[in-house]
Amino acid sequence: MEEYWSKTVASVKAQVSPEVYNLWIKPLRPGNSLSDGRMEVLCHNDFAADYVRSHYGSLLESAIAVERGIHQPLTFRADPDAGNRIEEPEADPPVAKQAPPPPPPAVESLPVAVPPSASASGLMERYTFESFVVGACNQFAHAAASRVSDGPPLAYNPLYIHGGTGLGKTHLMHAVGHKVLKDRPHTKVRYVSSEKFMTLFIDYTRMGRVNDFKNQFRSVDMLLVDDIHFFAGKKGTQEEFFHTFNALYGDGKQIILTSDSLPLDMLLDDRLRSRFAQGLVVDLQLPDLETRVAILKKKAYVEGIDLQDDVAFFLADAIHTNVRELEGALIRVFALSSMERAPITMALVKESLRNILKNPERRAIPIEEIQRTVATFYKISPMDLRSNKRSREFSHPRQIAMYLCKKLTNHSYPDIGEQFGGRDHTTVLYAVGRINEKQSEDSALAKQLQSLSEMLSH
Ligand code: ADP
Ligand code: MG
């Protein structure tokens, strides 16, 4: 199970932004198989369990379906070993970790046969036409994709979508697949990345089952192949893809391809390039500012989060590389807001983007200086801040100092923890959350923080 879990995670990694992967997917651990056939997935805490369940649950399930060919329902819960660390920051130094409980007796997993569906076809649930924002940058591609989703008679075959990274190629391609499955549920739709196509081809060839490979791709009604620039220089795979393409094309089946470049610019076999150019070639451009704002508002709306116009505008203006990065920035904002239990304000957004929006005027304040200033303010010694002393006399200023380190410097949580006597990053996270909470109820504290910040930021 460990083995297919890591494959599942690897395939999800290819489908989400690095931020999403690092924040939510990477920390997941496979848990037990339950007697009802579900498999447990262990998350860092309850919040993460909820978040991952609602946002990435079906993505994980479809990744498993693709890896194993079965529908494996998942259930998410906080890992008892990890979950409470945030709540008990000053716990005694870790004693030798308890050995993990022995694995439960193997339960026959109860694979459920999947009807043809989005998960079996490898489609990502949230990449639909409904969640795709249309602007001048993608109008034409969107219209073409929408026409293709109406099905036969085939208008454009293949539909070839190209554009820079993170501009919505994969999203648009999946959207067609979803629409087709919704309107005509018995259509066999298959999504595959070029890389997956290649590894499957190699694996099946090794197992001496080339025919099975051919059959699975040639029996579909609609084939979506993502990022075909990956085929550049891979002769054997190109050859096989050429045959797959011809077989489907000859049978009047729809093919959609995406790539980072125009067909004729790719280092591919001439036969393939001219095949690709036969259909309709559409491109995706970087969305303009209004469209970027609309994308942010839509994502926030989907997450059920209230995003003020000024904040959305600020983010959209600051990030103009591509939509994936825009989305990554928004996710960081959501994550920071929930971790620190603070509302999404301009200040919070600026803080979460600090590393992106480098502000050269800002003086780098050393952590020791913060420790010294806070210690003097509360009439204790800087050593006390780094010590293990747990009484409130020390723990309160310590939390304040940690909070100020986070607010006033670019140091990460682990870095700050390190400089406070080698504490865990969750302790710092906890301190920041506590101080944020306390200062909203305690105006004297808010004042103290204000004066400390001013002293330090002179
Ligand atoms: P590409 O395949 O071109 O690299 P993706 O399709 O993976 O890009 O898009 C990157 C991210 O940006 C996805 O999360 C996608 O949902 C989002 N995205 C891109 N374009 C749009 C759009 N027009 N409306 C909404 N979300 C978009
Ligand atoms: Mg893509």
Side-chain angles (χ1 to χ4, degrees):
M1 197 180 57
E2 288 281 341
E3 187 202 325
Y4 84 76
W5 179 253
S6 58
K7 283 195 181 153
T8 300
V9 168
S11 107
V12 170
K13 183 178 181 183
Q15 301 182 53
V16 299
S17 69
E19 287 79 18
V20 168
Y21 175 74
N22 286 326
L23 258 168
W24 307 113
I25 309 295
K26 200 169 138 199
L28 303 177
R29 298 285 167 256
N32 300 328
S33 291
L34 303 181
S35 54
D36 61 4
R38 289 182 305 164
M39 187 184 108
E40 281 186 331
V41 178
L42 305 177
C43 308
H44 190 74
N45 54 30
D46 288 331
F47 173 75
D50 256 8
Y51 194 90
V52 174
R53 176 189 310 113
S54 62
H55 291 78
Y56 306 110
S58 43
L59 174 60
L60 284 158
E61 286 179 2
S62 17
I64 294 180
V66 171
E67 287 306 327
R68 300 187 66 196
I70 59 162
H71 178 59
Q72 168 65 70
L74 301 175
T75 170
F76 297 84
R77 69 176 178 92
D79 181 352
D81 278 347
N84 295 326
R85 282 201 309 245
I86 292 186
E87 302 307 322
E88 297 165 1
E90 299 280 1
D92 292 333
V95 213
K97 256 235 162 105
Q98 263 190 346
V107 185
E108 275 294 304
S109 68
L110 303 170
V112 186
V114 253
S117 70
S119 66
S121 49
L123 295 177
M124 226 153 108
E125 196 172 348
R126 64 193 180 89
Y127 287 172
T128 60
F129 278 123
E130 288 70 33
S131 63
F132 192 83
V133 176
V134 184
C137 55
N138 56 28
Q139 217 167 11
F140 188 50
H142 175 264
S146 161
R147 169 62 191 88
V148 163
S149 70
D150 292 338
L154 302 188
Y156 319 115
N157 204 20
L159 174 64
Y160 185 104
I161 307 171
H162 76 101
T165 178
L167 295 183
K169 301 183 293 293
T170 301
H171 187 142
L172 205 50
M173 174 183 246
H174 283 230
V176 175
H178 284 300
K179 181 73 175 22
V180 166
L181 286 175
K182 190 167 152 225
D183 293 349
R184 298 180 294 285
H186 291 290
T187 315
K188 277 175 89 178
V189 176
R190 176 80 192 262
Y191 166 85
V192 69
S193 69
S194 299
E195 191 174 355
K196 185 81 191 176
F197 184 89
M198 184 184 82
T199 47
L200 285 173
F201 175 55
I202 294 173
D203 289 351
Y204 275 86
T205 309
R206 267 200 208 121
M207 293 183 291
R209 291 172 52 198
V210 181
N211 280 334
D212 290 344
F213 175 82
K214 293 189 195 295
N215 292 339
Q216 61 170 305
F217 283 104
R218 295 182 194 181
S219 60
V220 303
D221 300 314
M222 177 179 264
L223 181 63
L224 315 176
V225 187
D226 211 354
D227 293 326
I228 56 165
H229 48 268
F230 179 81
F231 288 153
K234 302 183 171 90
K235 273 202 159 324
T237 311
Q238 270 182 46
E239 184 69 25
E240 184 56 34
F241 184 65
F242 180 69
H243 295 308
T244 305
F245 185 99
N246 286 340
L248 290 172
Y249 189 85
D251 284 349
K253 309 295 190 192
Q254 177 75 53
I255 300 158
I256 308 182
L257 308 169
T258 72
S259 166
D260 67 358
S261 19
L262 280 163
L264 295 178
D265 291 344
M266 276 195 304
L267 291 169
L268 294 181
D269 188 294
D270 285 343
R271 294 175 305 172
L272 273 179
R273 293 196 302 185
S274 54
R275 286 276 161 186
F276 295 166
Q278 273 167 12
L280 181 69
V281 178
V282 293
D283 73 341
L284 292 172
Q285 301 283 341
L286 177 69
D288 55 28
L289 183 62
E290 280 71 36
T291 312
R292 296 204 295 278
V293 171
I295 291 175
L296 288 172
K297 299 280 277 185
K298 182 153 226 165
K299 305 255 173 220
Y301 176 80
V302 169
E303 310 281 323
I305 290 169
D306 186 31
L307 188 67
Q308 299 296 316
D309 287 346
D310 57 340
V311 172
F313 193 87
F314 176 82
L315 268 172
D317 187 45
I319 296 167
H320 35 72
T321 41
N322 65 52
V323 184
R324 184 177 295 122
E325 286 190 13
L326 190 63
E327 201 175 37
L330 187 64
I331 290 170
R332 268 199 296 277
V333 169
F334 291 162
L336 188 69
S337 147
S338 69
M339 284 194 299
E340 296 193 351
R341 285 165 274 174
I344 299 178
T345 56
M346 282 294 260
L348 181 117
V349 169
K350 285 184 182 156
E351 181 184 333
S352 84
L353 301 187
R354 201 183 285 156
N355 293 328
I356 302 178
L357 318 169
K358 290 248 162 27
N359 179 354
E361 284 140 57
R362 201 184 161 100
R363 184 176 73 95
I365 308 173
I367 289 185
E368 302 85 71
E369 186 178 330
I370 298 179
Q371 292 176 335
R372 232 181 309 118
T373 308
V374 173
T376 314
F377 192 91
Y378 289 100
K379 305 192 173 62
I380 57 175
S381 93
M383 282 285 283
D384 294 329
L385 290 180
R386 295 188 286 266
S387 74
N388 274 331
K389 296 179 185 166
R390 314 246 309 252
S391 71
R392 196 186 133 78
E393 181 193 357
F394 304 113
S395 66
H396 178 63
R398 187 178 297 130
Q399 289 188 341
I400 297 220
M402 288 178 175
Y403 168 88
L404 290 169
C405 286
K406 189 64 204 152
K407 295 287 153 186
L408 302 176
T409 76
N410 287 335
H411 290 283
S412 64
Y413 287 110
D415 272 2
I416 298 173
E418 188 49 42
Q419 302 223 32
F420 280 81
R423 286 179 158 79
D424 192 73
H425 71 279
T426 52
T427 308
V428 184
L429 191 55
Y430 175 82
V432 173
R434 282 293 289 170
I435 300 299
N436 264 332
E437 258 174 13
K438 277 192 196 163
Q439 67 170 319
S440 61
E441 298 148 13
D442 178 349
S443 60
L445 174 65
K447 263 208 178 122
Q448 289 173 14
L449 290 170
Q450 183 66 31
S451 357
L452 279 164
S453 302
E454 277 163 18
M455 277 188 241
L456 287 160
S457 315
H458 56 81

